[in-house]
Amino acid sequence: AGSLGLHGECMDARHLPEEPAALADELESHTTFGRVRPDQKRAMVHALQSRGHTVAMTGDGVNDVLALKDADIGVAMGSGSSASRAVAQIVLLDNRFATLPHVVAEGRRVIGNIERVSNLFLTKTVYSVLLAILVGLAGLSAKLFGSDPLLFPFQPIHVTIAAWFTIGIPAFILSLAPNNERARPGFVRRVMTAALPSGLAVGAATFTSYLLAYEGRAATETEQTQASTAALITLLVAALWVLAVVARPYEWWRIALVAISGLAYVVIFSIPAARELFILDPSNVAITSTALGIGLLGAIAVEVIWWVQGALLGEQRRLWRVRER
């Protein structure tokens, strides 16, 4: 017969009240119910849902169909009736309850990792759009006042290498990683409140760095390359910290992922052949130092946003993963 997992003592279902609020009170204080009619099973599901519970119902017979259909998650046995299998979201073909923990774990992994990856990609979308808007407004302003319009900060190859180790490779690894965090409502709200302000912070820092290094349309090719490099350095520092925030709570391999991503850019900037290939010129110490400083300010802003978001959403922030016992 179908069953509902609760906490408390046993009770004969013939003594259950019909009124939904009183029924919900009884369900909160008892764990096992005997002689439950099909309509009572359905009423139990509705009563628990009225208290904000996510209800899972398991069953294998026709008398379980009403509750299976109305539950948030209906689980039917593979050997059960065709009606119960038809209305259930999950069918246990091996008829073993031991399969359910693996199903839950896989669902948590997919949902949790999608949220992490969404934060990375949406942050990139926000700062890319912001940079395009700011450069366009600056160019329009320059045209109105008769000065030289502003060039876009990056060469196409810069956009490519910026995405390698701040989004592409880390997102691939994070999307496949194990994740046992419980799924929670409010997916869109959490992603938007994290990615939008972070993307704005990264974009504003990058644009500021470029403005300070930009010498105008009359600049030499070397000066323009140095300005683009400065903007890229600022972007990489701030975007890497976005990755560091998204990877929390930390485990050894998450720390290694962030560290390797940062070291990869250090290697690219250190090898002369790579600098030539990717059109990079960090030789101007003053401009490069300023770019690093602004990038660190952008990283600090991303960190503050992470803590403020946790306070606004009422979520406890943890830097390190706590192993469940």
Side-chain angles (χ1 to χ4, degrees):
S3 61
L4 288 159
L6 304 168
H7 299 283
E9 301 175 351
C10 302
M11 184 178 184
D12 192 323
R14 291 177 298 179
H15 302 146
L16 283 174
E18 297 293 335
E19 203 274 327
L23 176 59
D25 292 334
E26 294 293 343
L27 293 174
E28 294 285 358
S29 58
H30 295 79
T31 184
T32 305
F33 298 85
R35 303 179 181 180
V36 184
R37 302 190 310 270
D39 61 301
Q40 287 180 313
K41 295 177 182 178
R42 187 182 195 182
M44 288 179 175
V45 170
H46 293 168
L48 288 170
Q49 290 172 333
S50 70
R51 294 293 176 89
H53 294 290
T54 299
V55 184
M57 171 70 188
T58 62
D60 61 357
V62 176
N63 60 336
D64 301 318
V65 169
L66 293 176
L68 283 170
K69 184 177 180 180
D70 290 356
D72 297 291
I73 302 174
V75 183
M77 296 297 170
S79 60
S81 66
S82 58
S84 63
R85 296 197 306 269
V87 301
Q89 286 88 6
I90 299 174
V91 178
L92 301 178
L93 298 178
D94 56 4
N95 300 304
R96 297 175 64 245
F97 284 110
T99 306
L100 286 177
H102 301 289
V103 174
V104 174
E106 184 65 15
R108 288 180 176 179
R109 185 183 71 85
V110 171
I111 294 173
N113 290 345
I114 286 177
E115 183 170 334
R116 293 180 187 276
V117 173
S118 298
N119 278 324
L120 287 177
F121 280 96
L122 186 56
T123 299
K124 178 192 175 183
T125 301
V126 172
Y127 70 66
S128 298
V129 171
L130 179 62
L131 282 174
I133 292 174
L134 291 176
V135 171
L137 291 176
L140 178 62
S141 175
K143 184 177 181 180
L144 291 175
F145 290 99
S147 58
D148 292 333
L150 189 69
L151 295 175
F152 192 74
F154 303 123
Q155 298 289 339
I157 192 66
H158 292 167
V159 179
T160 301
I161 63 173
W164 280 352
F165 299 105
T166 61
I167 299 174
I169 296 175
F172 174 76
I173 296 173
L174 290 173
S175 66
L176 300 177
N179 191 336
N180 294 322
E181 296 178 6
R182 293 186 62 180
R184 299 163 295 161
F187 172 87
V188 174
R189 181 187 180 193
R190 287 195 304 276
V191 171
M192 296 297 285
T193 55
L196 280 176
S198 296
L200 293 175
V202 174
T206 303
F207 186 71
T208 301
S209 178
Y210 183 61
L211 283 182
L212 294 177
Y214 185 62
E215 297 291 342
R217 293 295 293 269
T220 63
E221 183 178 349
T222 299
E223 291 173 334
Q224 181 59 41
T225 301
Q226 290 175 348
S228 297
T229 303
L232 181 61
I233 290 173
T234 301
L235 173 66
L236 294 179
V237 173
L240 281 171
W241 201 254
V242 173
L243 172 62
V245 166
V246 169
R248 295 170 182 169
Y250 292 133
E251 296 179 88
W252 70 266
W253 66 267
R254 295 180 189 270
I255 296 176
L257 175 64
V258 176
I260 292 173
S261 298
L263 288 174
Y265 287 119
V266 173
V267 171
I268 290 175
F269 276 83
S270 300
I271 300 176
R275 293 200 300 267
E276 182 178 355
L277 175 65
F278 297 124
I279 318 177
L280 302 172
D281 185 3
S283 60
N284 190 316
V285 177
I287 292 178
T288 301
S289 299
T290 302
L292 284 172
I294 298 174
L296 290 175
L297 291 177
I300 292 173
V302 171
E303 180 71 16
V304 171
I305 289 168
W306 186 69
W307 289 101
V308 170
Q309 182 209 19
L312 292 176
L313 298 180
E315 299 177 355
Q316 182 181 4
R317 293 307 196 189
R318 292 182 290 114
L319 294 178
W320 303 95
R321 182 173 298 280
V322 178
R323 295 293 182 183
E324 298 181 358
R325 297 182 178 179

